Amino acid sequence: METGLQNVLGVERNQLYSFFQEWDGKQYPFEETPSNFPKLFNGAKSSALSYILKLVGKQLWLNDWKIKVNASKSACLMFTRRPQLPVGLTSVTIFGQPVPWVNVAKYLVFLDTKLTFAYHIEQTRKKAIAVHAMLKKLISRMSKLAIRHKVLLYKSIIRPVMCYGSQIFGSAGMCHLKKLHTLTNSFLRQIVNAPWFIRNEVIYRDLKIKPFLPHIKDLSKRFFNKLPNVPNELISNQPAYDPAVPSSQKRPRALLEHDFISFPQAKRLRA
C-alpha cells in the first residue's frame, strides 16, 4: 500500500506517514487489540482519504507532476461493499470546480464501487448486440454465406468485443458472466441455423470453438504469463499472487484458479 500511494501521489515517505500520525493516539485513542482493529482501520482510512483530498484540492500533486486536469470530465469513485455511498463525503474541487461522487466511472473499462463489473459487462453485451446487428445480413439464419466464413466473422469481429477487459473478470459475479455466455450461444445458433432440439454443446463441438468462459480463461492465462517480461517497474513491483491468501480470491489472477462448466448450465468451480 505504501509503495503504491507513493508512486501514485508522488509524496515522500515522511509525508505518507503523516496522515497515520493524525489519528494514532490522538483522534482514536484505542488500544491495539483485535477487537479494536476495525476502529483503527476506519481511522486510518478516514485520515488517508482526507490527506489525499487535501493534496488534490490544493492541486499540489497536479502542479508537481505538471498535469492539467479538466475538472468537468473528472469524477470521484469510492470502492466499497456498501449498497450506497456514505453520507457526508468531503466535496472535492479541482481548480475551484467541484468534482462529483459517482457509482460508476470509465477508465479503459467501467469500474463500479463493488468491482463486480456488472455495468461493464452489461455495456459489453449491448455493444456486441449492436455489432451483431450490423453483420446480421451476413451471419443470420437465412444467409447463404458458408458457415466457416460466418464463424470467421464471429471470431474476428464479434468475440473480441465481448472479450474486451476479460482479464479482470476474476472478481466478476457469475450471474453477470452468464449474460455473455448465453449471448454467445445465441449467436452461434443463428450462424449454423440450429433447430431448437440441437444442444449447444453439439454446436461448439462441431464448430471446434471453445465456450466463452473457458476462452476468457485462456486469454487471461496468456496475459498474466506475459506480465513478468514487461519492463514497467510498477507492474514488476506488484506483490506476488498467492492463492492460499483468502483476499487473493478477489484478484483478477484468481480467474486462472477457476474451472468452468459450460453445459448444460454455466457454473464456476472455485479452486
Side-chain angles (χ1 to χ4, degrees), residues 37-210:
F37 281 166
K39 299 178 183 179
L40 295 172
F41 175 75
N42 290 334
K45 181 174 65 175
S46 176
S47 298
L49 179 60
S50 300
Y51 185 80
I52 294 172
L53 295 179
K54 180 180 177 181
L55 283 179
V56 177
K58 293 184 177 180
Q59 291 87 46
L60 299 177
W61 181 79
L62 300 176
N63 293 333
D64 291 343
W65 288 86
K66 298 181 180 180
I67 297 176
K68 188 175 182 180
V69 176
N70 188 346
S72 61
K73 296 182 179 180
S74 303
C76 295
L77 178 65
M78 176 181 289
F79 299 108
T80 176
R81 293 185 179 180
R82 298 180 180 180
Q84 295 180 350
L85 289 177
V87 180
L89 285 174
T90 306
S91 59
V92 181
T93 59
I94 297 180
F95 300 110
Q97 299 185 29
V99 179
W101 289 93
V102 297
N103 293 319
V104 178
K106 184 178 182 181
Y107 184 75
L108 299 180
V109 297
F110 288 99
L111 301 172
D112 54 88
T113 55
K114 295 184 180 180
L115 286 181
T116 60
F117 300 103
Y119 188 83
H120 173 76
I121 291 176
E122 180 61 25
Q123 294 303 311
T124 300
R125 189 182 70 87
K126 292 180 180 179
K127 188 179 296 185
I129 293 175
V131 173
H132 176 266
M134 291 188 290
L135 299 174
K136 191 170 184 179
K137 291 185 178 181
L138 295 175
I139 61 177
S140 65
R141 292 178 179 270
M142 305 306 295
S143 174
K144 296 184 179 179
L145 190 67
I147 291 180
R148 67 178 183 275
H149 296 152
K150 293 182 181 180
V151 173
L152 181 61
L153 289 175
Y154 163 76
K155 288 183 176 180
S156 58
I157 300 178
I158 299 178
R159 191 168 67 176
V161 173
M162 300 176 66
C163 294
Y164 177 74
S166 60
Q167 291 83 358
I168 60 174
F169 285 171
S171 59
M174 192 61 193
C175 58
H176 307 306
L177 294 176
K178 281 183 180 180
K179 296 178 181 180
L180 299 179
H181 172 74
T182 56
L183 187 62
T184 303
N185 295 343
S186 175
F187 289 161
L188 293 182
R189 294 189 73 88
Q190 293 179 34
I191 287 176
V192 299
N193 192 20
W196 63 269
F197 53 83
I198 299 296
R199 294 180 177 271
N200 294 326
E201 185 177 3
V202 176
I203 297 176
Y204 281 97
R205 185 177 66 242
D206 291 347
L207 295 179
K208 299 180 181 179
I209 297 178
K210 274 193 173 184

